[in-house]
Amino acid sequence: MPGRRTFGACAILLACLAAASLASARPRIVGGTPAPPGSWPSTVFLYGSYGGLPYGCTGSVVAPQWVVTAAHCAYGEPGRFAGTMTAILGAKDYTDATAREVIGVDRLVVNPGYDPASDVGDIAMFHLSRPTTAPAIRLATRAENAAGRYISYVDEPDAAGWGRTDTRSTLSTTALQQAYLRVWTAAECRGVPIAGFDAATQVCAGTEGKAGACHGDSGGPLVAFDAATREPVLWGITSYGPQAALRQDPCSLQAPVVFTWVPAFTDFIEATVASIPAGTPLAAPAPAPSGPVPPAPVAPSAACLAARAKLANARRSEKASRERLRSLRRRHASRKRVASASKRYHQVRARRLKASAVARKACV
């Protein structure tokens, strides 16, 4: 990612947030309220499948045949692209066949700078097989941000998605949910702490104890508003939560959610819209779902990947120690050598068990 930025450029937005009381914040996406008719016209439910297994994400229309979402939504599992993908537009409940527009996705274009190990550059573009009638949302830009063009209104919903609705990520919904999420300063985000947080390309948001996002909201919008017109602009794309690394419930409201900062990627978005670059073609759209689907896969956090690496090393050490012990016993080595090797084996086995427990907690 590029170097870190301060939030001085969005001082108006943050000043508004800091000055307002959080006491009357709207209900959250986790346990929140359905979005009313006419709201979020650019927001899309993305229904993917891989190996016959379904999953869901959220996205935003940015051009007649393009939807922007999180890069990890292109994968059914880490390293494995979705086999099929469908966009469902124009319906607050994606199972409402009378209101929705269903269009197949025929190509996935992942940001070439995306790093699933650190969640860097978590943004992708999905190409629709035909134009949609849904309106495109305006993109927030660096220039307008620097000019103080954007603002946020306390209690005005600024995030939406079809994700899980409880902090343990067990309850699903087919109705689009919305909430007001307070945008945090870069210093607040680092203070959580969020490992690897980069203020040049990421923002974090969440209304403490009141509002947050969850699995399935991935790729969904975080908006700011034009201070002159109140028009919503796409400010962020839901990426991940640091809760697992902090040993909290998967969608706990104690920590904010990390969003990919859209102004850092307008060149990628605009270049993709201008031409169809090389991407991963999909064979066919998935059938439109008739009920809740599993949440979107989540890219492993940096803490999870680090824990997995330590576990892999511990397993290798345990295997080598066990084989040495067996070899000494087969060769009828001295009791002293066998006892020393046995002690060593039990020590490395204990370290492997500890590393396994750490990995389970970090990779919830």
Side-chain angles (χ1 to χ4, degrees), residues 40-46 57-70 73 87-90 105 123-128 132 134-140 158-162 176 216-224 232-238 259-260 262 269 273:
W40 305 98
S42 305
T43 305
V44 182
F45 179 71
L46 296 167
C57 261
T58 304
S60 299
V61 175
V62 293
Q65 283 188 263
W66 288 103
V67 171
V68 67
T69 186
C73 289
I88 300 178
L89 312 98
V105 174
I123 183 172
M125 299 284 285
F126 289 5
H127 184 260
L128 303 177
T132 175
I137 190 170
R138 177 176 142 199
L139 301 177
D158 59 0
W162 278 275
L176 181 66
D217 292 320
S218 293
L222 175 69
V223 301
V233 296
L234 188 60
W235 175 261
I237 295 169
T238 310
F259 296 79
T260 301
V262 170
I269 296 171
V273 170

Side-chain angles (χ1 to χ4, degrees), residues 124-190:
M125 299 284 285
F126 289 5
H127 184 260
L128 303 177
S129 59
R130 61 178 172 82
T132 175
T133 58
I137 190 170
R138 177 176 142 199
L139 301 177
T141 67
R142 289 182 185 274
E144 290 186 345
N145 181 53
R149 185 73 177 265
Y150 307 132
I151 197 168
S152 181
Y153 302 97
V154 172
D155 284 348
E156 183 75 16
D158 59 0
W162 278 275
R164 295 291 175 92
T165 58
D166 66 311
T167 59
R168 292 183 178 274
S169 188
T170 61
L171 302 177
S172 298
T173 180
T174 63
L176 181 66
Q177 303 290 301
Q178 66 176 15
Y180 162 71
L181 304 186
R182 183 179 76 85
V183 179
W184 294 33
T185 66
E188 286 178 311
C189 296
R190 294 191 190 99

Side-chain angles (χ1 to χ4, degrees), residues 134-334:
I137 190 170
R138 177 176 142 199
L139 301 177
T141 67
R142 289 182 185 274
E144 290 186 345
N145 181 53
R149 185 73 177 265
Y150 307 132
I151 197 168
S152 181
Y153 302 97
V154 172
D155 284 348
E156 183 75 16
D158 59 0
W162 278 275
R164 295 291 175 92
T165 58
D166 66 311
T167 59
R168 292 183 178 274
S169 188
T170 61
L171 302 177
S172 298
T173 180
T174 63
L176 181 66
Q177 303 290 301
Q178 66 176 15
Y180 162 71
L181 304 186
R182 183 179 76 85
V183 179
W184 294 33
T185 66
E188 286 178 311
C189 296
R190 294 191 190 99
V192 172
I194 300 175
F197 178 80
D198 180 10
T201 58
Q202 296 174 320
V203 294
C204 75
T207 306
E208 301 90 326
K210 295 177 181 289
C214 198
H215 302 134
D217 292 320
S218 293
L222 175 69
V223 301
F225 297 89
D226 187 306
T229 66
R230 291 186 68 102
E231 177 189 4
V233 296
L234 188 60
W235 175 261
I237 295 169
T238 310
S239 180
Y240 73 96
Q243 284 82 353
L246 299 173
R247 300 185 179 183
Q248 300 173 2
D249 284 343
C251 303
S252 169
L253 302 179
Q254 298 177 54
V257 174
V258 177
F259 296 79
T260 301
W261 189 53
V262 170
F265 297 95
T266 52
D267 289 347
F268 164 70
I269 296 171
E270 292 170 353
T272 305
V273 170
S275 62
I276 302 179
T280 299
L282 299 183
S290 57
V293 298
V298 178
S301 66
C304 171
L305 291 168
R308 285 178 179 174
K310 289 182 179 179
L311 176 58
N313 289 333
R315 283 172 173 164
R316 284 193 290 270
S317 295
E318 181 184 16
K319 181 180 179 181
S321 181
R322 182 173 59 247
E323 290 177 350
R324 174 170 172 74
L325 176 59
R326 287 175 177 174
S327 175
L328 289 172
R329 284 172 173 169
R330 283 196 301 268
R331 291 188 285 115
H332 302 290
S334 67

